[in-house]
Amino acid sequence: MKLSESFSGALRSFAYFMASGTHYQLKGIDYLKLYGEEPSAIEQAFAIFANVIELDENGEVLNAKYAEKRATDYIRSYCDSNFKVETPYEDWEIELY
């Protein structure tokens, strides 16, 4: 089974905005340095995105913006110790497979 175009598009968009340093939910956060210095933080953000995103029976993404928010909240909290994630992460959200 192949990933749906809907999921592929959601992942591509998230990856682009994360890699370009222009993700609107991370304004004011210098997170690009994590790519070279602390890649495990980026790995964790992508794991959260992948774990949280939901698809319907046709492979259509149901919650792309929510998955992005959970992932970017992790990066924000990683870079800014004063930022607290509003709903703490559940174990399944942060699992690395």
Side-chain angles (χ1 to χ4, degrees):
M1 180 164 105
K2 292 183 115 185
L3 294 173
S4 68
E5 290 178 6
S6 179
F7 176 78
S8 180
L11 178 60
R12 178 198 47 78
S13 294
F14 179 62
Y16 171 82
F17 288 109
M18 289 297 293
S20 68
T22 60
H23 200 289
Y24 72 97
Q25 292 180 351
L26 291 171
K27 278 190 174 180
I29 301 296
D30 182 22
Y31 66 92
L32 284 180
K33 65 182 179 180
L34 297 176
Y35 280 90
E37 297 174 10
E38 298 181 59
S40 62
I42 300 299
E43 174 188 30
Q44 185 65 68
F46 274 85
I48 291 168
F49 179 83
N51 292 342
V52 171
I53 203 159
E54 295 177 357
L55 310 175
D56 69 12
E57 62 277 353
N58 297 313
E60 294 296 311
V61 174
L62 300 173
N63 66 343
K65 294 301 177 195
Y66 179 71
E68 284 187 23
K69 176 151 180 41
R70 296 299 280 168
T72 55
D73 278 357
Y74 174 80
I75 294 294
R76 183 175 292 280
S77 69
Y78 190 90
C79 294
D80 177 2
S81 61
N82 293 319
F83 179 80
K84 300 297 178 214
V85 177
E86 286 185 29
T87 303
Y89 292 104
E90 295 185 35
D91 291 342
W92 65 267
E93 291 179 288
I94 58 173
E95 188 70 38
L96 294 173
Y97 296 101

Coordinates of all heavy atoms in Angstrom, one line a residue:
M1 N 0.8 -1.2 0.0 CA 0.0 0.0 0.0 C 0.9 1.2 0.0 O 1.9 1.3 0.7 CB -0.9 0.0 1.2 CG -1.8 1.1 1.3 SD -3.1 0.9 2.5 CE -2.6 1.9 3.8
K2 N 0.5 2.2 -0.8 CA 1.3 3.5 -0.9 C 0.6 4.5 0.0 O -0.6 4.4 0.3 CB 1.3 4.0 -2.3 CG 2.1 3.1 -3.2 CD 2.1 3.8 -4.6 CE 3.6 4.2 -4.9 NZ 3.7 4.9 -6.1
L3 N 1.4 5.5 0.4 CA 0.8 6.6 1.2 C 0.0 7.4 0.3 O 0.3 7.5 -0.9 CB 1.9 7.4 1.8 CG 2.8 6.8 2.8 CD1 4.0 7.7 3.2 CD2 2.0 6.5 4.1
S4 N -1.1 8.0 0.8 CA -2.0 8.8 0.0 C -1.3 10.1 -0.4 O -0.4 10.6 0.2 CB -3.3 9.1 0.7 OG -3.0 10.0 1.8
E5 N -1.8 10.7 -1.5 CA -1.4 12.0 -1.9 C -1.7 13.0 -0.8 O -0.9 14.0 -0.6 CB -2.1 12.4 -3.2 CG -1.6 11.6 -4.4 CD -2.3 12.0 -5.7 OE1 -3.1 13.0 -5.7 OE2 -2.1 11.3 -6.7
S6 N -2.7 12.9 -0.1 CA -3.1 13.8 1.0 C -2.0 13.7 2.1 O -1.5 14.8 2.6 CB -4.5 13.4 1.6 OG -4.8 14.2 2.7
F7 N -1.6 12.5 2.5 CA -0.6 12.4 3.5 C 0.8 12.9 3.0 O 1.5 13.6 3.6 CB -0.4 11.0 4.0 CG 0.7 10.8 5.0 CD1 0.6 11.2 6.3 CD2 2.0 10.4 4.6 CE1 1.7 11.2 7.2 CE2 3.0 10.3 5.5 CZ 2.9 10.7 6.8
S8 N 1.1 12.5 1.8 CA 2.4 13.0 1.1 C 2.4 14.5 1.1 O 3.5 15.1 1.4 CB 2.5 12.4 -0.3 OG 3.7 12.8 -0.9
G9 N 1.3 15.1 0.8 CA 1.3 16.6 0.7 C 1.4 17.2 2.1 O 2.2 18.2 2.3
A10 N 0.8 16.6 3.1 CA 0.9 17.1 4.5 C 2.3 17.0 5.0 O 2.9 17.9 5.6 CB -0.1 16.4 5.4
L11 N 2.9 15.9 4.7 CA 4.3 15.6 5.2 C 5.3 16.6 4.4 O 6.2 17.2 5.1 CB 4.7 14.2 4.9 CG 6.2 13.8 5.3 CD1 6.4 14.1 6.8 CD2 6.4 12.4 5.0
R12 N 5.1 16.7 3.1 CA 6.0 17.6 2.3 C 5.9 19.0 2.8 O 6.9 19.7 3.0 CB 5.6 17.5 0.9 CG 6.4 18.4 0.0 CD 5.7 18.7 -1.4 NE 4.3 19.0 -1.3 CZ 3.8 20.2 -1.0 NH1 4.6 21.2 -0.6 NH2 2.5 20.4 -1.0
S13 N 4.7 19.5 3.1 CA 4.5 20.9 3.6 C 5.2 21.1 4.9 O 5.9 22.1 5.1 CB 3.0 21.2 3.7 OG 2.4 21.2 2.4
F14 N 4.9 20.1 5.8 CA 5.5 20.2 7.1 C 7.1 20.2 7.0 O 7.8 21.1 7.6 CB 5.1 19.1 8.0 CG 5.7 19.1 9.4 CD1 5.4 20.1 10.3 CD2 6.4 18.0 9.8 CE1 6.0 20.1 11.5 CE2 7.0 18.0 11.1 CZ 6.8 19.1 12.0
A15 N 7.6 19.3 6.2 CA 9.1 19.2 6.1 C 9.6 20.5 5.4 O 10.7 21.0 5.9 CB 9.4 18.0 5.2
Y16 N 8.9 21.1 4.5 CA 9.4 22.3 3.8 C 9.5 23.4 4.8 O 10.5 24.1 5.0 CB 8.5 22.7 2.7 CG 8.9 24.1 2.2 CD1 9.9 24.2 1.3 CD2 8.2 25.2 2.6 CE1 10.3 25.5 0.8 CE2 8.6 26.5 2.2 CZ 9.6 26.6 1.3 OH 10.0 27.9 0.9
F17 N 8.4 23.7 5.6 CA 8.4 24.8 6.5 C 9.4 24.6 7.7 O 9.9 25.5 8.2 CB 7.0 25.1 6.9 CG 6.2 25.8 5.9 CD1 5.2 25.1 5.2 CD2 6.5 27.0 5.4 CE1 4.4 25.6 4.2 CE2 5.8 27.6 4.4 CZ 4.7 26.9 3.8
M18 N 9.6 23.3 8.1 CA 10.5 23.1 9.1 C 12.0 23.3 8.6 O 12.8 23.9 9.3 CB 10.4 21.6 9.6 CG 9.1 21.4 10.4 SD 9.1 22.3 12.0 CE 10.4 21.6 12.9
A19 N 12.3 22.8 7.4 CA 13.6 22.9 6.9 C 14.0 24.4 6.4 O 15.1 24.7 6.4 CB 13.8 22.0 5.7
S20 N 13.0 25.1 6.1 CA 13.2 26.5 5.6 C 13.3 27.5 6.7 O 13.7 28.6 6.5 CB 12.1 26.9 4.6 OG 10.9 27.1 5.3
G21 N 12.9 27.1 7.9 CA 12.9 28.0 9.0 C 11.8 29.0 9.0 O 11.8 30.0 9.7
T22 N 10.7 28.7 8.3 CA 9.6 29.6 8.1 C 8.3 29.1 8.7 O 7.2 29.6 8.3 CB 9.4 30.0 6.7 OG1 9.2 28.8 5.9 CG2 10.6 30.7 6.1
H23 N 8.3 28.1 9.5 CA 7.1 27.6 10.1 C 6.4 28.6 10.9 O 7.0 29.1 11.9 CB 7.3 26.3 10.9 CG 6.0 25.5 11.0 ND1 5.0 25.9 11.7 CD2 5.6 24.4 10.4 CE1 4.0 25.1 11.6 NE2 4.3 24.1 10.8
Y24 N 5.2 29.0 10.6 CA 4.5 30.1 11.3 C 4.3 29.8 12.7 O 4.2 30.8 13.5 CB 3.2 30.4 10.6 CG 2.1 29.3 10.8 CD1 1.1 29.5 11.8 CD2 2.0 28.2 10.0 CE1 0.2 28.5 12.0 CE2 1.1 27.2 10.2 CZ 0.1 27.4 11.2 OH -0.8 26.5 11.4
Q25 N 4.3 28.6 13.2 CA 4.1 28.3 14.6 C 5.4 28.4 15.4 O 5.4 28.3 16.6 CB 3.5 26.9 14.8 CG 2.0 26.9 14.3 CD 1.4 25.5 14.5 OE1 2.1 24.5 14.8 NE2 0.1 25.4 14.2
L26 N 6.5 28.7 14.7 CA 7.8 28.8 15.3 C 8.4 30.2 15.1 O 9.6 30.3 15.2 CB 8.7 27.7 14.9 CG 8.3 26.3 15.3 CD1 9.2 25.2 14.6 CD2 8.4 26.2 16.8
K27 N 7.6 31.2 14.9 CA 8.1 32.5 14.7 C 8.9 32.9 15.9 O 8.4 32.7 17.1 CB 7.0 33.5 14.4 CG 6.6 33.6 13.0 CD 5.6 34.7 12.8 CE 5.3 34.8 11.3 NZ 4.5 35.8 10.9
G28 N 10.1 33.5 15.7 CA 10.9 33.9 16.9 C 11.7 32.9 17.5 O 12.5 33.2 18.4
I29 N 11.6 31.6 17.0 CA 12.4 30.5 17.6 C 13.5 30.2 16.6 O 13.2 29.9 15.4 CB 11.5 29.3 17.9 CG1 10.4 29.6 18.8 CG2 12.3 28.1 18.4 CD1 10.8 30.0 20.2
D30 N 14.7 30.2 17.1 CA 15.9 29.9 16.2 C 16.1 28.4 16.3 O 16.9 27.9 17.0 CB 17.1 30.6 16.7 CG 18.3 30.3 15.8 OD1 18.2 29.9 14.6 OD2 19.5 30.5 16.3
Y31 N 15.3 27.7 15.5 CA 15.4 26.2 15.5 C 16.2 25.6 14.4 O 16.5 24.4 14.5 CB 14.0 25.6 15.5 CG 13.2 25.8 14.3 CD1 13.2 24.9 13.2 CD2 12.4 26.9 14.1 CE1 12.5 25.1 12.1 CE2 11.7 27.1 12.9 CZ 11.7 26.2 11.9 OH 11.0 26.4 10.8
L32 N 16.6 26.3 13.4 CA 17.3 25.8 12.3 C 18.7 25.2 12.7 O 19.1 24.2 12.2 CB 17.6 26.8 11.2 CG 16.4 27.1 10.3 CD1 16.7 28.1 9.2 CD2 15.8 25.8 9.7
K33 N 19.3 25.7 13.7 CA 20.6 25.2 14.2 C 20.5 23.8 14.8 O 21.4 23.1 14.8 CB 21.1 26.1 15.3 CG 20.3 26.2 16.6 CD 20.9 27.2 17.6 CE 20.0 27.2 18.8 NZ 20.5 28.1 19.8
L34 N 19.2 23.4 15.1 CA 19.0 22.0 15.6 C 19.4 21.0 14.6 O 19.8 19.9 14.9 CB 17.6 21.8 16.1 CG 17.1 22.7 17.3 CD1 15.7 22.5 17.6 CD2 18.0 22.5 18.5
Y35 N 19.2 21.3 13.3 CA 19.4 20.4 12.2 C 20.9 19.9 12.3 O 21.1 18.7 12.1 CB 19.1 21.0 10.9 CG 17.6 20.9 10.6 CD1 16.8 22.0 11.0 CD2 17.0 19.8 10.0 CE1 15.4 21.9 10.7 CE2 15.7 19.8 9.7 CZ 14.9 20.8 10.1 OH 13.5 20.8 9.8
G36 N 21.8 20.8 12.5 CA 23.2 20.4 12.5 C 23.8 20.0 13.9 O 24.7 19.2 14.0
E37 N 23.2 20.6 14.9 CA 23.7 20.5 16.2 C 23.0 19.5 17.1 O 23.6 18.8 18.0 CB 23.7 21.9 17.0 CG 24.6 22.9 16.3 CD 24.5 24.3 16.9 OE1 23.9 24.4 17.9 OE2 25.0 25.2 16.2
E38 N 21.7 19.4 17.0 CA 20.9 18.5 17.8 C 19.8 17.8 16.9 O 18.6 18.0 17.2 CB 20.3 19.2 18.9 CG 21.4 19.8 19.9 CD 20.8 20.6 21.0 OE1 20.0 20.0 21.8 OE2 21.0 21.8 21.2
P39 N 20.2 17.0 16.0 CA 19.2 16.4 15.1 C 18.2 15.5 15.8 O 17.1 15.3 15.2 CB 20.1 15.6 14.1 CG 21.4 15.4 14.8 CD 21.6 16.5 15.7
S40 N 18.5 15.0 17.0 CA 17.5 14.2 17.6 C 16.2 15.0 18.0 O 15.1 14.4 18.1 CB 18.1 13.5 18.9 OG 18.5 14.5 19.8
A41 N 16.4 16.3 18.2 CA 15.2 17.1 18.4 C 14.3 17.2 17.2 O 13.1 17.1 17.3 CB 15.6 18.5 18.9
I42 N 14.9 17.3 16.0 CA 14.1 17.3 14.8 C 13.5 15.9 14.6 O 12.4 15.8 14.2 CB 15.1 17.7 13.6 CG1 15.6 19.1 13.8 CG2 14.3 17.6 12.3 CD1 14.6 20.2 13.9
E43 N 14.3 14.9 14.8 CA 13.8 13.5 14.7 C 12.5 13.4 15.6 O 11.5 12.8 15.1 CB 14.8 12.5 15.1 CG 14.3 11.1 15.2 CD 15.3 10.1 15.8 OE1 16.1 10.5 16.6 OE2 15.3 8.9 15.4
Q44 N 12.6 13.9 16.8 CA 11.4 13.7 17.7 C 10.2 14.5 17.2 O 9.1 14.0 17.3 CB 11.8 14.2 19.1 CG 10.7 14.0 20.2 CD 10.4 12.6 20.4 OE1 11.2 11.9 21.0 NE2 9.2 12.1 20.0
A45 N 10.4 15.7 16.6 CA 9.3 16.5 16.1 C 8.6 15.7 14.9 O 7.4 15.7 14.9 CB 9.8 17.8 15.6
F46 N 9.4 15.1 14.1 CA 8.8 14.4 13.0 C 8.1 13.1 13.5 O 7.1 12.7 12.9 CB 9.9 14.0 11.9 CG 10.0 15.2 10.9 CD1 10.9 16.2 11.2 CD2 9.3 15.2 9.7 CE1 11.0 17.3 10.3 CE2 9.4 16.2 8.8 CZ 10.3 17.3 9.1
A47 N 8.7 12.5 14.5 CA 8.0 11.3 15.1 C 6.6 11.7 15.7 O 5.6 11.0 15.4 CB 8.9 10.7 16.2
I48 N 6.6 12.9 16.3 CA 5.3 13.3 16.9 C 4.3 13.6 15.8 O 3.2 13.2 15.8 CB 5.6 14.6 17.8 CG1 6.3 14.2 19.0 CG2 4.2 15.3 18.1 CD1 6.8 15.4 19.8
F49 N 4.8 14.3 14.7 CA 3.9 14.6 13.6 C 3.4 13.3 13.0 O 2.1 13.1 12.8 CB 4.7 15.3 12.5 CG 3.9 15.6 11.3 CD1 3.1 16.7 11.2 CD2 4.0 14.8 10.2 CE1 2.3 17.0 10.1 CE2 3.3 15.0 9.0 CZ 2.4 16.1 9.0
A50 N 4.2 12.3 12.8 CA 3.8 11.0 12.2 C 2.9 10.2 13.1 O 1.9 9.6 12.7 CB 5.0 10.2 11.8
N51 N 3.1 10.3 14.4 CA 2.3 9.6 15.4 C 0.9 10.2 15.6 O 0.0 9.5 15.8 CB 3.0 9.5 16.7 CG 4.2 8.6 16.7 OD1 4.4 7.8 15.8 ND2 5.1 8.7 17.7
V52 N 0.8 11.5 15.5 CA -0.4 12.2 15.8 C -1.3 12.3 14.5 O -2.5 12.3 14.7 CB -0.1 13.6 16.3 CG1 -1.3 14.5 16.4 CG2 0.6 13.5 17.7
I53 N -0.7 12.4 13.3 CA -1.6 12.6 12.2 C -2.5 11.4 12.0 O -2.2 10.3 12.3 CB -0.7 12.8 10.9 CG1 -1.5 13.5 9.8 CG2 -0.1 11.5 10.4 CD1 -0.6 14.2 8.8
E54 N -3.7 11.7 11.6 CA -4.8 10.7 11.4 C -5.3 10.8 9.9 O -5.4 11.9 9.3 CB -6.0 11.0 12.3 CG -5.6 10.8 13.8 CD -6.8 11.2 14.7 OE1 -7.9 11.6 14.2 OE2 -6.6 11.0 15.9
L55 N -5.6 9.6 9.4 CA -6.1 9.5 8.0 C -7.5 8.8 8.1 O -7.7 7.9 9.0 CB -5.2 8.6 7.2 CG -3.7 9.0 7.2 CD1 -2.9 8.0 6.4 CD2 -3.5 10.4 6.6
D56 N -8.3 9.1 7.2 CA -9.6 8.4 7.1 C -9.4 7.1 6.3 O -8.3 6.8 5.8 CB -10.7 9.3 6.5 CG -10.6 9.6 5.1 OD1 -9.7 9.0 4.3 OD2 -11.3 10.5 4.6
E57 N -10.4 6.4 6.0 CA -10.3 5.1 5.3 C -9.9 5.2 3.9 O -9.4 4.3 3.3 CB -11.7 4.3 5.3 CG -12.8 5.0 4.7 CD -13.5 6.1 5.5 OE1 -13.2 6.2 6.7 OE2 -14.4 6.8 5.0
N58 N -9.9 6.4 3.3 CA -9.4 6.7 2.0 C -8.0 7.3 1.9 O -7.5 7.7 0.9 CB -10.4 7.6 1.2 CG -11.8 7.0 1.1 OD1 -11.9 5.8 0.7 ND2 -12.8 7.7 1.4
G59 N -7.4 7.4 3.1 CA -6.1 8.0 3.2 C -6.0 9.5 3.2 O -5.0 10.1 3.1
E60 N -7.2 10.1 3.4 CA -7.3 11.6 3.5 C -6.9 12.0 4.9 O -7.4 11.5 5.9 CB -8.7 12.1 3.1 CG -9.1 11.9 1.7 CD -8.2 12.6 0.7 OE1 -8.0 13.8 0.8 OE2 -7.7 11.9 -0.3
V61 N -6.0 13.0 5.0 CA -5.6 13.5 6.2 C -6.7 14.3 6.9 O -7.4 15.1 6.3 CB -4.3 14.5 6.1 CG1 -3.9 15.1 7.4 CG2 -3.2 13.7 5.5
L62 N -6.9 14.0 8.2 CA -8.0 14.6 9.0 C -7.5 15.8 9.9 O -8.3 16.6 10.3 CB -8.7 13.5 9.8 CG -9.3 12.4 9.0 CD1 -9.8 11.3 10.0 CD2 -10.4 12.9 8.2
N63 N -6.2 15.7 10.3 CA -5.8 16.7 11.3 C -4.4 17.2 11.1 O -3.6 17.3 12.1 CB -5.9 16.0 12.7 CG -4.9 14.8 12.8 OD1 -4.4 14.3 11.9 ND2 -4.7 14.4 14.1
A64 N -4.0 17.6 9.9 CA -2.7 18.0 9.6 C -2.2 19.2 10.5 O -1.1 19.1 11.0 CB -2.5 18.4 8.1
K65 N -3.0 20.2 10.7 CA -2.6 21.4 11.5 C -2.4 21.0 12.9 O -1.5 21.5 13.6 CB -3.6 22.5 11.3 CG -3.7 23.1 9.9 CD -2.3 23.6 9.5 CE -2.4 24.1 8.1 NZ -1.0 24.3 7.5
Y66 N -3.2 20.1 13.4 CA -3.1 19.6 14.8 C -1.8 18.9 15.0 O -1.0 19.1 16.0 CB -4.3 18.8 15.3 CG -4.1 18.3 16.7 CD1 -4.2 19.2 17.8 CD2 -3.9 17.0 17.0 CE1 -4.1 18.7 19.1 CE2 -3.7 16.5 18.3 CZ -3.8 17.4 19.3 OH -3.7 17.0 20.6
A67 N -1.5 18.0 14.0 CA -0.2 17.2 14.1 C 1.0 18.2 14.0 O 2.0 18.0 14.7 CB -0.2 16.2 12.9
E68 N 0.9 19.2 13.2 CA 2.0 20.2 13.1 C 2.1 20.9 14.4 O 3.2 21.1 14.9 CB 1.7 21.2 12.0 CG 1.9 20.7 10.6 CD 1.8 21.8 9.6 OE1 1.9 23.0 9.9 OE2 1.5 21.4 8.4
K69 N 1.0 21.3 15.0 CA 1.1 22.0 16.3 C 1.7 21.2 17.4 O 2.6 21.7 18.1 CB -0.3 22.4 16.8 CG -0.3 23.1 18.1 CD -1.4 24.1 18.3 CE -1.4 24.8 19.7 NZ -0.1 25.1 20.2
R70 N 1.4 19.9 17.5 CA 2.0 19.0 18.5 C 3.5 19.0 18.2 O 4.3 19.0 19.2 CB 1.3 17.7 18.5 CG -0.1 17.6 18.9 CD -0.4 18.2 20.3 NE 0.0 17.2 21.3 CZ 0.1 17.4 22.6 NH1 -0.1 18.6 23.1 NH2 0.4 16.4 23.4
A71 N 3.9 18.8 17.0 CA 5.3 18.7 16.6 C 6.0 20.0 16.9 O 7.1 20.0 17.5 CB 5.5 18.3 15.2
T72 N 5.4 21.1 16.5 CA 6.1 22.4 16.6 C 6.1 22.9 18.1 O 7.1 23.5 18.5 CB 5.5 23.5 15.8 OG1 4.1 23.6 16.0 CG2 5.8 23.2 14.3
D73 N 5.1 22.5 18.9 CA 5.2 22.7 20.3 C 6.4 22.0 21.0 O 7.0 22.6 21.9 CB 3.9 22.3 21.0 CG 2.8 23.3 20.9 OD1 3.0 24.4 20.3 OD2 1.6 23.0 21.3
Y74 N 6.7 20.9 20.5 CA 7.8 20.2 21.0 C 9.1 21.0 20.7 O 9.9 21.2 21.6 CB 8.0 18.8 20.4 CG 9.3 18.1 20.9 CD1 9.4 17.5 22.1 CD2 10.4 18.1 20.1 CE1 10.6 17.0 22.6 CE2 11.6 17.6 20.5 CZ 11.7 17.0 21.7 OH 12.9 16.5 22.2
I75 N 9.3 21.4 19.5 CA 10.5 22.2 19.1 C 10.5 23.5 19.9 O 11.6 23.9 20.5 CB 10.5 22.5 17.6 CG1 10.7 21.2 16.8 CG2 11.6 23.5 17.3 CD1 12.0 20.5 17.0
R76 N 9.4 24.2 20.1 CA 9.3 25.4 20.8 C 9.7 25.2 22.3 O 10.5 25.9 22.9 CB 7.9 26.1 20.8 CG 7.9 27.4 21.5 CD 6.5 28.1 21.4 NE 6.3 28.5 20.0 CZ 6.8 29.6 19.5 NH1 7.5 30.4 20.2 NH2 6.5 30.0 18.2
S77 N 9.2 24.1 22.9 CA 9.6 23.8 24.3 C 11.0 23.4 24.4 O 11.7 23.6 25.4 CB 8.6 22.7 24.9 OG 8.9 21.5 24.3
Y78 N 11.6 22.7 23.4 CA 13.0 22.3 23.4 C 13.9 23.6 23.3 O 14.9 23.6 24.0 CB 13.2 21.4 22.2 CG 14.6 20.7 22.2 CD1 14.7 19.5 22.8 CD2 15.7 21.3 21.6 CE1 15.9 18.8 22.8 CE2 16.9 20.7 21.6 CZ 17.0 19.4 22.2 OH 18.2 18.8 22.2
C79 N 13.5 24.6 22.6 CA 14.3 25.8 22.4 C 14.1 26.8 23.5 O 14.9 27.7 23.7 CB 14.1 26.4 21.0 SG 14.6 25.3 19.7
D80 N 12.9 26.8 24.1 CA 12.5 27.8 25.0 C 12.0 27.2 26.3 O 10.9 26.7 26.3 CB 11.4 28.7 24.4 CG 10.9 29.8 25.4 OD1 11.4 29.9 26.5 OD2 9.9 30.5 25.0
S81 N 12.8 27.1 27.3 CA 12.5 26.4 28.5 C 11.3 27.0 29.3 O 10.7 26.4 30.1 CB 13.7 26.3 29.5 OG 14.1 27.6 29.8
N82 N 10.9 28.3 28.9 CA 9.8 28.9 29.5 C 8.4 28.5 28.9 O 7.4 28.8 29.4 CB 9.9 30.4 29.5 CG 11.0 30.9 30.3 OD1 11.2 30.4 31.4 ND2 11.8 31.9 29.8
F83 N 8.5 27.9 27.7 CA 7.3 27.5 27.0 C 6.9 26.1 27.5 O 7.7 25.2 27.6 CB 7.5 27.4 25.5 CG 6.3 27.0 24.7 CD1 5.3 27.8 24.4 CD2 6.2 25.7 24.3 CE1 4.2 27.4 23.7 CE2 5.1 25.2 23.6 CZ 4.1 26.1 23.3
K84 N 5.6 26.0 27.9 CA 5.1 24.8 28.4 C 4.0 24.3 27.4 O 3.1 25.0 27.0 CB 4.4 24.9 29.7 CG 5.4 25.4 30.8 CD 6.5 24.4 31.0 CE 7.5 25.0 32.1 NZ 8.9 24.6 31.8
V85 N 4.1 23.0 27.0 CA 3.1 22.4 26.1 C 1.8 22.3 26.9 O 1.8 21.8 28.0 CB 3.6 21.0 25.6 CG1 2.6 20.4 24.7 CG2 4.9 21.2 24.8
E86 N 0.8 22.9 26.3 CA -0.5 22.9 27.0 C -1.1 21.6 27.4 O -1.5 21.4 28.6 CB -1.5 23.7 26.2 CG -1.3 25.2 26.1 CD -2.4 25.9 25.4 OE1 -3.5 25.5 25.4 OE2 -2.1 26.9 24.8
T87 N -1.1 20.7 26.6 CA -1.5 19.3 26.9 C -0.3 18.4 26.9 O 0.3 18.3 25.8 CB -2.6 18.7 26.0 OG1 -3.7 19.7 25.9 CG2 -3.0 17.4 26.4
P88 N 0.2 17.9 28.0 CA 1.4 17.1 28.0 C 1.3 16.0 27.0 O 0.2 15.4 26.8 CB 1.5 16.6 29.5 CG 0.7 17.6 30.3 CD -0.4 18.0 29.4
Y89 N 2.4 15.6 26.5 CA 2.5 14.5 25.5 C 2.2 13.2 26.2 O 2.6 12.9 27.3 CB 3.9 14.4 24.8 CG 4.1 15.6 24.0 CD1 5.0 16.6 24.4 CD2 3.5 15.8 22.7 CE1 5.2 17.7 23.6 CE2 3.7 16.9 21.9 CZ 4.6 17.9 22.4 OH 4.8 19.0 21.6
E90 N 1.4 12.4 25.5 CA 1.2 11.0 25.9 C 2.3 10.2 25.3 O 2.9 10.5 24.3 CB -0.2 10.5 25.5 CG -1.3 11.3 26.1 CD -2.7 10.8 25.8 OE1 -2.8 9.6 25.6 OE2 -3.6 11.6 25.6
D91 N 2.5 9.0 26.0 CA 3.6 8.2 25.5 C 3.5 7.8 24.0 O 4.5 7.8 23.3 CB 3.7 6.9 26.3 CG 4.1 7.1 27.8 OD1 4.7 8.2 28.1 OD2 3.8 6.2 28.6
W92 N 2.3 7.5 23.5 CA 2.2 7.1 22.1 C 2.6 8.3 21.2 O 2.9 8.0 20.0 CB 0.8 6.6 21.8 CG -0.3 7.6 22.0 CD1 -1.0 7.9 23.1 CD2 -0.8 8.5 21.0 NE1 -1.9 8.9 22.9 CE2 -1.8 9.3 21.6 CE3 -0.4 8.8 19.7 CZ2 -2.5 10.3 20.9 CZ3 -1.1 9.8 19.0 CH2 -2.1 10.6 19.6
E93 N 2.4 9.5 21.6 CA 2.8 10.6 20.7 C 4.3 10.8 20.5 O 4.7 11.2 19.5 CB 2.2 12.0 21.3 CG 0.7 12.1 21.3 CD 0.3 13.4 21.9 OE1 0.4 13.5 23.2 OE2 -0.2 14.2 21.2
I94 N 5.0 10.4 21.5 CA 6.5 10.7 21.4 C 7.3 9.4 21.1 O 8.5 9.4 21.1 CB 7.0 11.3 22.7 CG1 6.7 10.5 24.0 CG2 6.4 12.7 22.9 CD1 7.3 11.0 25.2
E95 N 6.6 8.3 20.9 CA 7.3 7.0 20.6 C 8.1 7.1 19.3 O 7.6 7.6 18.3 CB 6.2 5.9 20.5 CG 6.8 4.5 20.4 CD 7.4 4.1 21.7 OE1 6.9 4.3 22.8 OE2 8.5 3.4 21.6
L96 N 9.3 6.6 19.4 CA 10.1 6.5 18.2 C 10.1 5.1 17.7 O 10.4 4.1 18.4 CB 11.6 6.9 18.5 CG 11.8 8.3 18.9 CD1 13.3 8.5 19.4 CD2 11.5 9.3 17.8
Y97 N 9.6 4.9 16.5 CA 9.5 3.5 16.0 C 10.6 3.2 15.0 O 11.2 4.0 14.5 CB 8.2 3.3 15.2 CG 7.0 3.5 16.1 CD1 6.2 4.6 16.2 CD2 6.6 2.4 16.9 CE1 5.1 4.7 17.0 CE2 5.5 2.5 17.8 CZ 4.8 3.7 17.8 OH 3.7 3.8 18.7

